[in-house]
């Protein structure tokens, strides 16, 4: 958490915000490959295909921007932090649960951030925020961090890290959709096309487009076969004339 935020802030010193955004948008692809390999299995193709669509859609929504080597390097570090949100949580999510895991990582991140602030800025690292900053900090602390992490880990617990990470592609889509409301950007054809790609990728990777059970030919024939099997006599017994069963000699 701490490394991810520091990396994004450092990247935006020399790179436009779209650059780390595009890197972070590739997290579903990395998770779709890395988590199965760590688990000793092959990547699930629908999830991988969906992750590629999500990454492409995030890139279309955000575009690209000015950067340099440092901006690219710190953007890569931000990608590593985003992947860590999912990969590092997998072995501890089951024993701790979403709420305790979120509380633990938030507490550790707060202590780590305080220590980094003291080392970097000394006694000047903490100051009293004004009213606007207080509102922004409360939103970041309560909604984005606490509620967001609990919901994130609850989702991972239910559908797995690979599918849950697909939904991180909705972050640039939400940002693009709200940008006109706060006067920080516009919503055009590129944002609309990228949003469609992200939505399609989430649907493909999560299995939402999969044909529901019971719709196939085999499923329609299964009740008929079951009924025919029910009319068969039990194993080891034969039906005598007149419908009376007789045991084998």
């Amino acid at each position: 958490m701490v490394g991810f935020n520091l990396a994004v802030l450092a990247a935006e010193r020399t790179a436009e915000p779209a650059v780390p955004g595009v890197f972070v948008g590739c997290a579903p692809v990395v998770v779709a490959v890395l988590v199965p390999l760590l688990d000793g299995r092959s990547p699930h193709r629908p999830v991988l295909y969906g992750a590629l669509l999500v990454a492409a859609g995030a890139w279309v929504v955000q575009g690209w921007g000015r950067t340099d080597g440092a901006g690219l390097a710190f953007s890569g570090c931000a990608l590593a932090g985003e992947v860590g949100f999912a990969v590092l949580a997998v072995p501890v999510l089951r024993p701790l649960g979403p709420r305790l895991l979120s509380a633990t990582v938030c507490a550790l991140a707060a202590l780590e951030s305080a220590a980094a602030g003291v080392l970097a800025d000394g006694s000047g690292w903490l100051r009293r925020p004004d009213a606007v900053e207080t509102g922004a900090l409360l939103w970041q602390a309560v909604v984005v961090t606490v509620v967001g992490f609990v919901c994130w880990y609850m989702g991972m617990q239910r559908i797995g890290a690979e599918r849950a990470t697909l939904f991180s592609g909705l972050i640039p889509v939400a940002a693009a959709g709200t940008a006109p409301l706060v006067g920080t950007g516009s919503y055009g054809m590129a944002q609309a096309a990228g949003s469609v790609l992200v939505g399609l990728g989430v649907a493909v990777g999560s299995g939402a487009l999969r044909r529901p059970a019971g719709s196939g030919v085999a499923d329609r024939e299964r009740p008929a076969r079951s009924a025919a099997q029910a009319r068969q006599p039990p194993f080891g017994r034969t039906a005598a004339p007149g419908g009376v069963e007789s045991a084998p000699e």
Side-chain angles (χ1 to χ4, degrees):
M1 293 171 62
V2 177
F4 169 80
N5 285 280
L6 291 177
V8 170
L9 293 174
E12 291 184 354
R13 290 178 179 174
T14 58
E16 295 183 6
V19 177
V22 170
F23 271 77
V24 172
C26 296
V29 180
V30 180
V31 173
V33 175
L34 188 59
V35 169
L37 293 180
L38 293 176
D39 199 29
R41 53 187 174 87
S42 300
H44 194 48
R45 287 189 178 182
V47 177
L48 182 58
Y49 297 156
L52 291 171
L53 287 173
V54 167
W59 177 77
V60 173
V61 168
Q62 298 173 108
W64 191 252
R66 173 187 54 83
T67 185
D68 58 5
L72 293 174
F74 283 117
S75 297
C77 293
L79 171 61
E82 180 72 15
V83 172
F85 287 151
V87 176
L88 297 178
V90 171
V92 293
L93 179 58
R94 182 181 297 273
L96 295 182
R99 295 175 181 84
L100 181 56
L101 177 58
S102 298
T104 302
V105 296
C106 288
L108 292 175
L111 294 174
E112 186 178 347
S113 298
V118 171
L119 292 175
D121 299 323
S123 59
W125 75 278
L126 185 62
R127 64 176 179 83
R128 178 180 298 179
D130 58 29
V132 176
E133 293 171 337
T134 300
L137 289 172
L138 287 175
W139 172 265
Q140 292 287 332
V142 177
V143 180
V144 177
T145 303
V146 177
V147 177
F149 265 78
V150 171
C151 292
W152 166 251
Y153 287 132
M154 288 179 67
M156 280 186 55
Q157 191 177 49
R158 290 175 178 269
I159 64 175
E162 300 156 74
R163 290 182 172 87
T165 310
L166 293 171
F167 289 84
S168 64
L170 297 176
I171 296 175
V173 173
T178 56
L181 301 178
V182 296
T184 58
S186 59
Y187 192 88
M189 292 299 297
Q191 287 72 32
S195 300
V196 171
L197 282 176
V198 171
L200 181 61
V202 172
V204 170
S206 64
L209 299 181
R210 191 177 305 161
R211 187 167 56 182
S215 61
V217 175
D219 295 313
R220 291 196 298 269
E221 293 178 350
R222 188 177 293 112
R225 291 199 298 266
S226 300
Q229 292 171 356
R231 291 193 297 268
Q232 295 294 329
F235 179 76
R237 303 179 68 86
T238 58
V244 180
E245 294 181 354
S246 59
E249 297 181 357

